[in-house]
Structure formats: C-alpha cells, structure tokens
Amino acid sequence: MALIAPSLLSADFGNLERDVRRMDQSAAAWHHVDIMDGVFVPNLSFGLPVVKAIKKAATKPLDVHLMIVEPDRYIGAFRDAGADHLTVHIEACPHLHRTLQAIRQAGMRPGIAVNPHTPISALESIVGDADLVCLMSVNPGFGGQKFIESTYEKVRLLRALAGPDLLIEIDGGVTFENAPLLLASGADVLVAGNTVFGAPNPEEAVAQLAALK
Ligand code: DX5
Ligand code: ZN
C-alpha cells in the first residue's frame, strides 16, 4: 500500500474546509501543506492562519513542506499552527543538523526536502537525523508541473543509502502512470495535487493511488 498525501495547494481555496474533510474521509494518509515565501521559490502560497484553519478541520496529520528561506525562524510557529511533520529544504539550511533537532524537540517529525539538482550524496551525513526525505520531482513553486524522469534513480540511490526505515516521499508531477515505478523504486509516500484534485472524483483518485503496490 502506498501512503498518499494529497497536496492542498490544488484544493479549492473557496471550499478549503470541504476539501480537507473529503480527504480525511478518503484513503489519504496525510494532508500535504505547501508553504511558499516568494524568495526560496518564485511563488507565494499561504501562511500560518491558513495552516491553523486546516488543522481545525483536519483529523489526519499535516505534512508541512516549507519552501522558505530561514525556516528556523518559524519552527515554533508551525508547531503551534498544527504541523505534525515539518520538512525543510536542504538548499535553505546551512545548519541542517541543528534545524532537524529543533523540529524534533518542538514535537514534530523532521523531514528534508531535496531539489531536483541536489545529489543524493549530499544527504550522506544527515539522513539518519530525519524521519522523511521529500524528493522533489519538479522544481518547487507550482502545482501541475511535469515529472522529472531522473527521480526514479534518485529514489533507488536514497533507499540504498538510508535503509528501510526512512520514509521516502515524492513531490511533484505524480500521476497514475509514474506512481507504480516510483513505488517499485522504493518510494513510500506520494504527494499528489493535480492528480487528486483535478480528478472528477478526488476520493476515488486517492483510493486508486493508495491501492498501487
Ligand atoms: C510544488 C509543491 C507540490 C505540488 C504538487 O512546489 O511542493 O507539493 O503542490 O502538485 P502536483 O502533484 O500537481 O505536481
Ligand atoms: Zn510540496
């Protein structure tokens, strides 16, 4: 069974509470929550008050993906807003070990996100300090982009480096076509925005993704 984390970036923001509840009632494992600052990535999404509102409606864990510079400044604030997992970008963290410890001490599960150009070897000395690694399979900043094919090889390399316990999450351009090979390569968690919320029946799309081996 694949763990599916629908990306609320593709939800209907005018009906956010409805979409959160729909995903709570689906086969989804987590809600994926994308935070963009317009500096680390060329786009803005939403901030702490919206995360709080999502938390109020949600029963499943919030998997918060920070695409922001200086994430250390906001660790306590995202914990207070309701984040269960907090994922920071390796490219945004000069003291990543310290950042991951601070996230864990704040009571959240720490994750490391990795841009498409960053090699898996960059994780060698730090992967043991994270509960999850989020491999970006698009350049972060927007939903609905095309999947980057070199991701499969990165999944295989990361699984070999990290062993069985690390959760490997794939984020960006996940479809029914590429999901089976991602899972066969060693991925555990599939983030899906457009594939879920762009489907005629989002709950059914989650169920189909979750049933993949
Ligand atoms: C991209 C975000 C993704 C995005 C995924 O910067 O981190 O989580 O919402 O959306 P899709 O699945 O549509 O590529
Ligand atoms: Zn994301």
Side-chain angles (χ1 to χ4, degrees):
M1 281 278 288
L3 298 176
I4 307 305
S7 171
L8 291 171
L9 190 63
S10 299
D12 176 356
F13 289 164
N15 292 286
L16 189 53
E17 182 178 5
R18 179 204 66 189
D19 282 359
V20 170
R21 291 190 195 284
R22 286 178 83 169
M23 291 302 106
D24 271 330
Q25 279 152 26
S26 78
W30 308 334
H31 300 284
H32 187 78
V33 179
D34 286 307
I35 308 294
M36 304 177 183
D37 68 354
V39 179
F40 183 72
V41 289
N43 196 12
L44 295 159
S45 57
F46 48 80
L48 291 159
V50 176
V51 178
K52 269 186 201 147
I54 293 169
K55 186 67 177 180
K56 212 170 140 198
T59 55
K60 289 180 176 169
L62 301 196
D63 177 46
V64 177
H65 175 196
L66 297 184
M67 286 160 275
I68 67 175
V69 297
E70 299 186 33
D72 306 70
R73 294 169 55 193
Y74 300 101
I75 290 171
F78 277 102
R79 190 261 326 275
D80 294 347
D84 295 281
H85 314 158
L86 198 63
T87 296
V88 294
H89 268 265
I90 189 170
E91 301 86 5
C93 294
H95 307 289
L96 183 56
H97 181 268
R98 179 188 291 152
T99 306
L100 298 177
Q101 305 304 315
I103 292 169
R104 205 181 285 287
Q105 265 165 26
M108 296 172 286
R109 301 185 75 182
I112 307 170
V114 177
N115 275 339
H117 75 275
T118 300
I120 294 303
S121 58
L123 291 163
E124 218 175 279
S125 306
I126 194 66
V127 73
D129 293 282
D131 286 9
L132 93 98
V133 168
C134 174
L135 293 181
M136 294 308 304
S137 38
V138 297
N139 288 293
F142 304 91
Q145 300 183 85
K146 191 177 173 299
F147 179 82
I148 297 172
E149 297 284 326
S150 54
T151 308
Y152 301 117
E153 178 62 7
K154 288 181 86 171
V155 181
R156 285 191 284 269
L157 289 170
L158 179 56
R159 183 54 76 204
L161 175 73
D165 292 342
L166 180 79
L167 287 169
I168 301 181
E169 178 178 66
I170 310 300
D171 189 6
V174 170
T175 62
F176 292 110
E177 287 68 44
N178 57 33
L181 187 49
L182 285 167
L183 295 169
S185 303
D188 305 291
V189 188
L190 303 177
V191 174
N194 207 49
T195 295
V196 167
F197 290 104
N201 182 335
E203 292 93 331
E204 180 57 30
V206 174
Q208 281 176 28
L209 285 170
L212 294 171
K213 293 285 180 300

